[in-house]
């Protein structure tokens, strides 16, 4: 098995479902989990050659997970390999679609990575903003063009110094942008917001408590105003419906009839950059 694994890792044409460009390297598991997840296998799904990790476990059915490391399959210990491959072929459309989505997400993550330096750029309210280090500038301010953010830092400033200065500015801008939108939608929904707090959560854009307090991720300031409005309306709607039932979505639609478009864009663009 180890000889077969080495052979697979050395083969070049491993996964060819992303166009005519040179194929990416084999989807191998991290070294620290190889022994747990099991051997690396491969199968042709249509015209695509796909690698997957196979884990045998005490279970009754086959499970499929497509993540950042590729495809992982969990199968009962007693199930023949032929049955596993038959199940993979039956799920091939779903597997290939998810692998493409993961690859595209990885590309978006790379594209969204902010370079904290002179000439770097980031999104602010859905617009691309450029960074300019200017030792003669005072503090952090937007120039008249609205696309250049000047920082009173020397050109030799470290990435950490630039990041901290810009993020401090972004958090101030986030509160200034979020508060009036919260007041607008609270009035429209007939609810009372008792407090607005900014969060730095890595997996949530917002939350609401029964006492009327709202938390919004300050990184929402990177998105266009209509996406921010969706998250604000979503959280404030929870002050009327603390669930995600049909009634809850009806409340959201009462103030944002086209909320589904903004929701879809948020999911598509949700790459939290540091």
């Amino acid at each position: 098995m180890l000889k077969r694994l080495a052979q697979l890792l050395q083969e070049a044409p491993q996964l060819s479902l992303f166009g005519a460009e040179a194929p990416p390297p084999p989807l191998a598991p991290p070294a620290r989990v190889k022994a747990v997840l099991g051997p690396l296998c491969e199968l042709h799904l249509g015209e695509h050659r796909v690698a997957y990790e196979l884990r045998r476990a005490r279970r009754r059915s086959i499970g499929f997970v497509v993540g950042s490391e590729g495809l992982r399959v969990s199968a009962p210990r007693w199930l023949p390999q032929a049955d596993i491959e038959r199940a993979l072929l039956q799920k091939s459309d779903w597997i290939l679609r998810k692998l493409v989505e993961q690859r595209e997400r990885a590309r978006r993550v790379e594209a969204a990575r902010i370079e904290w330096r002179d000439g770097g750029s980031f999104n602010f309210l859905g617009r691309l903003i450029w960074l300019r280090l200017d030792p003669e500038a005072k503090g952090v301010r937007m120039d008249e063009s609205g696309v250049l953010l000047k920082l009173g830092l020397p050109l030799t400033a470290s990435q950490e110094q630039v990041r901290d200065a810009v993020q401090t500015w972004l958090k101030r801008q986030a509160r200034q942008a979020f508060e009036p939108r919260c007041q607008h939608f609270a009035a429209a929904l007939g609810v009372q917001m008792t407090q607005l707090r900014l969060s730095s959560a890595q997996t949530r854009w917002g939350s609401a408590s029964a006492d009327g307090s709202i938390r919004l991720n300050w990184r929402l300031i990177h998105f266009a105003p209509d996406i921010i409005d969706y998250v604000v309306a979503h959280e404030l709607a929870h002050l009327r419906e603390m669930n995600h039932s049909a009634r809850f979505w009806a409340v959201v639609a009462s103030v944002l009839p086209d909320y589904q478009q903004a929701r879809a864009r948020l999911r598509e663009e949700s790459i939290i950059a540091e």
Side-chain angles (χ1 to χ4, degrees):
M1 183 60 69
L2 291 178
K3 183 181 295 185
R4 178 57 177 156
L5 176 59
Q7 179 184 353
L8 290 176
L9 293 178
Q10 292 172 359
E11 292 178 350
Q14 185 66 37
L15 185 62
S16 58
L17 58 140
F18 301 109
E21 58 186 337
L27 295 175
R32 62 185 176 84
V33 298
K34 283 181 182 176
V36 177
L37 293 179
L40 184 68
C41 304
E42 64 175 1
L43 182 69
H44 280 86
L45 300 182
E47 60 183 17
H48 307 301
R49 189 180 183 188
V50 177
Y52 65 94
E53 297 172 78
L54 175 61
R55 184 173 74 171
R56 296 287 189 166
R58 295 182 60 183
R59 53 182 299 152
R60 297 181 179 180
S61 60
I62 303 177
F64 305 94
V65 176
V66 177
S68 59
E69 297 297 332
L71 172 62
R72 188 175 72 214
V73 179
S74 298
R77 293 172 179 169
W78 50 264
L79 193 67
Q81 181 70 19
D83 289 351
I84 296 174
E85 294 183 357
R86 188 162 20 281
L88 283 165
L89 290 171
Q90 291 175 349
K91 294 279 289 186
S92 60
D93 288 346
W94 179 87
I95 290 169
L96 293 175
R97 184 174 70 253
K98 290 299 181 182
L99 285 171
V100 170
E101 290 174 359
Q102 282 293 332
R103 178 57 58 86
E104 290 304 313
R105 178 174 175 81
R107 289 176 178 172
R108 292 199 304 272
V109 169
E110 184 63 28
R113 185 171 290 115
I114 298 173
E115 294 186 19
W116 301 106
R117 59 173 179 79
D118 184 63
S121 62
F122 63 93
N123 283 327
F124 173 69
L125 292 175
R127 296 179 291 113
L128 193 63
I129 302 297
W130 300 89
L131 296 174
R132 173 66 54 81
L133 302 189
D134 183 355
E136 299 182 0
K138 294 183 179 180
V140 180
R141 64 180 182 83
M142 189 78 70
D143 79 341
E144 295 179 357
S145 69
V147 297
L148 192 65
L149 187 67
K150 292 186 176 182
L151 287 75
L153 292 173
L155 293 175
T156 56
S158 67
Q159 291 192 35
E160 289 75 16
Q161 288 176 303
V162 176
R163 180 197 63 200
D164 292 347
V166 175
Q167 289 189 349
T168 297
W169 180 83
L170 285 172
K171 290 175 183 178
R172 290 198 305 268
Q173 299 303 309
R175 181 168 290 279
Q176 293 176 13
F178 298 167
E179 285 184 341
R181 303 313 294 161
C182 285
Q183 295 171 5
H184 168 80
F185 284 107
L189 290 166
V191 298
Q192 183 176 4
M193 182 187 71
T194 59
Q195 187 178 34
L196 170 63
R197 295 180 179 178
L198 298 183
S199 81
S200 299
Q202 292 297 316
T203 58
R204 301 185 68 178
W205 290 118
S207 63
S209 300
D211 63 2
S213 61
I214 300 294
R215 286 181 179 270
L216 296 174
N217 195 314
W218 66 265
R219 294 181 181 87
L220 283 168
I221 198 64
H222 291 297
F223 294 103
D226 61 323
I227 295 179
I228 296 174
D229 277 355
Y230 162 68
V231 178
V232 170
H234 181 118
E235 300 308 333
L236 287 170
H238 278 309
L239 300 184
R240 286 178 53 179
E241 293 287 342
M242 280 292 182
N243 52 61
H244 285 109
S245 65
R247 293 193 306 274
F248 166 78
W249 292 112
V251 172
V252 177
S254 70
V255 291
L256 280 180
D258 58 349
Y259 77 87
Q260 291 181 337
Q261 297 179 16
R263 184 187 184 197
R265 287 178 56 204
L266 177 62
R267 288 182 173 180
E268 177 69 19
E269 300 174 20
S270 285
I271 305 298
I272 298 181
E274 288 294 339

